[in-house]
Amino acid sequence: MFKINENYLKLPGSYLFSTIGKKIAAYTQEHPEKKIIRLGIGDVTQPLAPAIIDSLHHAVDEMANAETFHGYAPDLGYEFLRNAIAENDYRARGCDISSDEVFISDGAKCDSGNIQEIFSIDNKIAVCDPVYPVYVDTNVMAGRTGVYDANRGVWSDVIYMPCTAENQFVPEIPKEVPDIIYLCFPNNPTGSTLTKEQLQEWVDYANKVGAVIIYDAAYEAYISEENVPHTIYECDGARTCAIELRSFSKNAGFTGVRLGATIIPKEIKCGDVTLHSLWARRHGTKYNGAPYIVQRAGEAVYSEEGKVQLKKQVDYYMKNARVIYEGLKEAGYCVSGGINAPYIWLKTPKEMSSWQFFDYLLEHANVVGTPGSGFGPSGEGYFRLTAFGSYENTVKAIERIKKL
Amino acid sequence: MFKINENYLKLPGSYLFSTIGKKIAAYTQEHPEKKIIRLGIGDVTQPLAPAIIDSLHHAVDEMANAETFHGYAPDLGYEFLRNAIAENDYRARGCDISSDEVFISDGAKCDSGNIQEIFSIDNKIAVCDPVYPVYVDTNVMAGRTGVYDANRGVWSDVIYMPCTAENQFVPEIPKEVPDIIYLCFPNNPTGSTLTKEQLQEWVDYANKVGAVIIYDAAYEAYISEENVPHTIYECDGARTCAIELRSFSKNAGFTGVRLGATIIPKEIKCGDVTLHSLWARRHGTKYNGAPYIVQRAGEAVYSEEGKVQLKKQVDYYMKNARVIYEGLKEAGYCVSGGINAPYIWLKTPKEMSSWQFFDYLLEHANVVGTPGSGFGPSGEGYFRLTAFGSYENTVKAIERIKKL
């Protein structure tokens, strides 16, 4: 008789955004006349930039002719895209990353979920709290997290690094030594950043204790301030301890196009074995490459036109971020984020819980946000709004919130 | 100090097709003037059909406007595609599969590699021998296969079901009871099929012993004979024991487009837990949907025009299959497959090993095939040729082989 992976059953409730979806559906059914504005899930709303559309059409035409048709892609990605990423995101910043250290995938969510697989089950992970749920949930499914304490909302074998107003949402080196450290900066959900010096401390620490940092750089394009690192490889020694995840979802609006990349320098080793070789093996065995047309779209992100158009797109969202940030401040909320990130993180008013505030906002302002507690116990009492709506809707949503 | 997943290190050598690629590269470097014909890897060569190209262009245009832009897809796939699959591949054949039992993915390779994850590590798998390497390798990476015997090329905890000329390449019910049974028919690599009665025996057996069948139907479009089931759900009782994997790679040439589907009926249960719920959870947590434009391309596969165009494409490849099958027979080879499958399976001549014949064919005919032993120990002494080349090249390759 077959047996299931019992670790799946340990997962508490359903995935955060599914729960939100159900609540919205229920409210909409009861109040079909209400116009809900969604500033919750981190999905973009602006269409793909013209340079990307052109490149998609061109690639589709190539697929229509035997001479230019593309079948199976190289497992690890086409050279043209691996080169563009290594050149533009790394070497142009003075970071020593070669093209064959870039692995193309269908998105950072998959990569951030799958990467744990190349590690032993008995590694201990450390995560910021609050945190993007995928890091923890995928480790739960692998059986790496111990027992869940439903009252406290924590796993016995996970090291939590609280990020709250008290420490400016910057994680501190944990007392217990982790094997794998997940960091995401600019941060989802708090919108906070690390300075280069702060990130360097983490790299030094990881090298000292022999830990690996999984660095999620999905929001890099939103950095507007100096001294905020765009990649972990700006730090000395990152090549021996850090994996970096990159997304095309937020800088280029690829949430529905699906493209990502993971960088694994060849120097990260356990004994003689490189993590690079393990991830290459995983790609070769379990993955069949990102679509050719999508990889060509990714290439267009790095074209001169593409860069100009996407800068405008990011500026558009960052204008929204300012509307939210300043509007909420005026309304008396305690807010952070929004300067180097498309996320605004606010303290819920009147000691409401995160879900109470979710319901309150849905009902009284018809605005959807994301409850902070959905990202971990230290997110309780906080709430996330995103800058990915249209400008008009964002302005309207903030007006409604101001009137509460 | 972090530790790696040691199971990865148990994998012998590199992935079959990587090895072949290296051998071709080495030969080409030494003999740059030789024109190699590749009938090895199962990659298609015909361009995408016009109906699919049209649908891709249309979907790309939708992505260019905010009103019709599509961000994150539903985790489990767009309704339009789930409906099209349930309707055309199942209900039209009288099989009771509902749209919400269809999970859209970026391809059958990923699904066939990932599906083992929802099962416990201590399940025992049974595979045909020879077999598509992904089934076994992904179980090795999960730690489910025991110890490798390099001499015999087998794992201690895998049940092998030899498929050789002696049993017409049809697996027999194994003596030891498995928990998970991988079946692929029409078969890769042997090109053999099961009759409906033969498949029914497997379904009855699985239900009797409480096993799950993972049925890979990637080559269904190539079935030309009566009484060969197009889906396992043609068999009574399959809804309580069978998962089916579907590919768009071979029926629609999507090897570089990436689209697949997995069917999990809600009746397959372990205690109260449905496999359907576990796979839905996996999709929601580790996957972010197939690209919108690709799902629209998948929809076009089921349009009236699409069906007509793709039937022609399959006919084209099957004409190649006949050229190979008949040509090799004339040349005195012992061949099978090729009637309901794009694969022709042949006995190597003069007691050559599979890899000896690979080298011989590469060197003397400049034709690339796939060594049978790469698919498992019972594949030793066999060799696979595929019908996915161009007609002209296929004819040329067979002429060269005839002259050997």
Side-chain angles (χ1 to χ4, degrees), chain B residues 261-274:
Chain B
T262 288
I263 320 301
I264 310 193
K266 290 182 190 153
E267 272 102 305
I268 315 178
K269 287 183 186 178
C270 178
D272 287 341
V273 183
T274 64

Side-chain angles (χ1 to χ4, degrees), chain B residues 37-55:
Chain B
I37 299 177
R38 293 162 193 249
L39 303 180
I41 195 166
D43 200 357
V44 297
T45 52
Q46 291 293 295
L48 296 182
I52 291 161
I53 293 292
D54 288 349
S55 129

Side-chain angles (χ1 to χ4, degrees), chain B residues 100-341:
Chain B
D100 68 352
E101 292 172 327
V102 177
F103 296 78
I104 307 302
S105 77
D106 65 333
K109 181 178 174 187
C110 299
D111 282 354
S112 65
N114 292 330
I115 193 74
Q116 47 78 28
E117 218 185 89
I118 64 172
F119 296 98
S120 166
I121 293 298
D122 60 359
N123 283 306
K124 194 157 229 178
I125 68 162
V127 294
C128 291
D129 170 25
V131 70
Y132 178 50
V134 170
Y135 309 150
V136 177
D137 287 357
T138 55
N139 277 288
V140 173
M141 290 151 87
R144 207 175 272 113
T145 57
V147 180
Y148 189 63
D149 178 339
N151 285 331
R152 292 174 52 225
V154 295
W155 295 89
S156 60
D157 289 354
V158 171
I159 300 168
Y160 292 90
M161 305 182 289
C163 297
T164 60
E166 286 67 43
N167 58 12
Q168 288 83 50
F169 307 103
V170 170
E172 292 153 41
I173 303 280
K175 283 181 195 130
E176 190 183 350
V177 177
D179 301 303
I180 301 169
I181 302 162
Y182 288 84
L183 295 177
C184 170
F185 289 97
N187 187 254
N188 175 16
T190 69
S192 66
T193 52
L194 298 185
T195 63
K196 192 171 164 189
E197 292 71 29
Q198 285 171 325
L199 186 57
Q200 184 66 55
E201 277 179 41
W202 280 98
V203 170
D204 293 342
Y205 172 73
N207 277 323
K208 194 180 80 183
V209 300
V212 167
I213 296 173
I214 298 173
Y215 192 74
D216 186 343
Y219 304 97
E220 172 271 323
Y222 292 83
I223 294 171
S224 68
E225 294 185 316
E226 294 290 314
N227 203 30
V228 176
H230 287 255
T231 154
I232 196 167
Y233 303 114
E234 290 182 32
C235 296
D236 293 333
R239 281 188 59 84
T240 51
C241 70
I243 293 173
E244 186 161 290
L245 309 178
R246 296 195 75 90
S247 168
F248 287 78
S249 289
K250 308 304 160 74
N251 62 331
F254 277 25
T255 54
V257 177
R258 309 309 313 142
L259 190 65
T262 288
I263 320 301
I264 310 193
K266 290 182 190 153
E267 272 102 305
I268 315 178
K269 287 183 186 178
C270 178
D272 287 341
V273 183
T274 64
L275 292 186
H276 185 279
S277 69
L278 298 183
W279 191 241
R281 186 73 198 225
R282 191 195 181 280
H283 263 253
T285 307
K286 291 195 178 182
Y287 186 57
N288 232 337
Y292 172 71
I293 53 179
V294 170
Q295 295 196 50
R296 281 292 180 200
E299 186 188 31
V301 167
Y302 297 100
S303 67
E304 284 314 309
E305 281 171 297
K307 283 177 185 171
V308 172
Q309 293 164 3
L310 293 174
K311 168 99 178 45
K312 272 193 199 154
Q313 210 168 75
V314 167
D315 288 347
Y316 178 93
Y317 292 131
M318 288 310 278
K319 190 170 149 198
N320 291 347
R322 274 194 302 279
V323 167
I324 301 173
Y325 185 91
E326 283 160 20
L328 290 177
K329 261 206 151 159
E330 278 172 41
Y333 286 86
C334 178
V335 281
S336 58
I339 308 290
N340 298 296

Side-chain angles (χ1 to χ4, degrees), chain A residues 213-291:
Chain A
I213 296 174
I214 297 172
Y215 192 73
D216 186 344
Y219 304 97
E220 172 272 325
Y222 293 84
I223 294 171
S224 68
E225 294 184 317
E226 295 289 315
N227 203 30
V228 176
H230 287 255
T231 153
I232 196 166
Y233 303 114
E234 291 182 31
C235 297
D236 293 334
R239 282 188 58 86
T240 52
C241 70
I243 292 172
E244 186 162 289
L245 309 177
R246 296 195 75 92
S247 168
F248 287 77
S249 290
K250 308 305 160 75
N251 62 330
F254 277 25
T255 54
V257 178
R258 311 309 312 144
L259 190 66
T262 288
I263 319 301
I264 309 192
K266 290 183 190 151
E267 273 103 303
I268 315 178
K269 288 182 185 178
C270 179
D272 287 341
V273 182
T274 65
L275 292 186
H276 186 279
S277 69
L278 298 183
W279 191 240
R281 186 75 199 224
R282 191 196 181 281
H283 263 252
T285 309
K286 291 194 178 182
Y287 186 57
N288 231 338

Side-chain angles (χ1 to χ4, degrees), chain A residues 350 352 355-365 404:
Chain A
K350 299 174 193 161
M352 274 190 244
W355 278 110
Q356 279 171 340
F357 188 66
F358 175 91
D359 292 334
Y360 175 78
L361 216 58
L362 176 59
E363 196 169 327
H364 298 285
L404 287 177

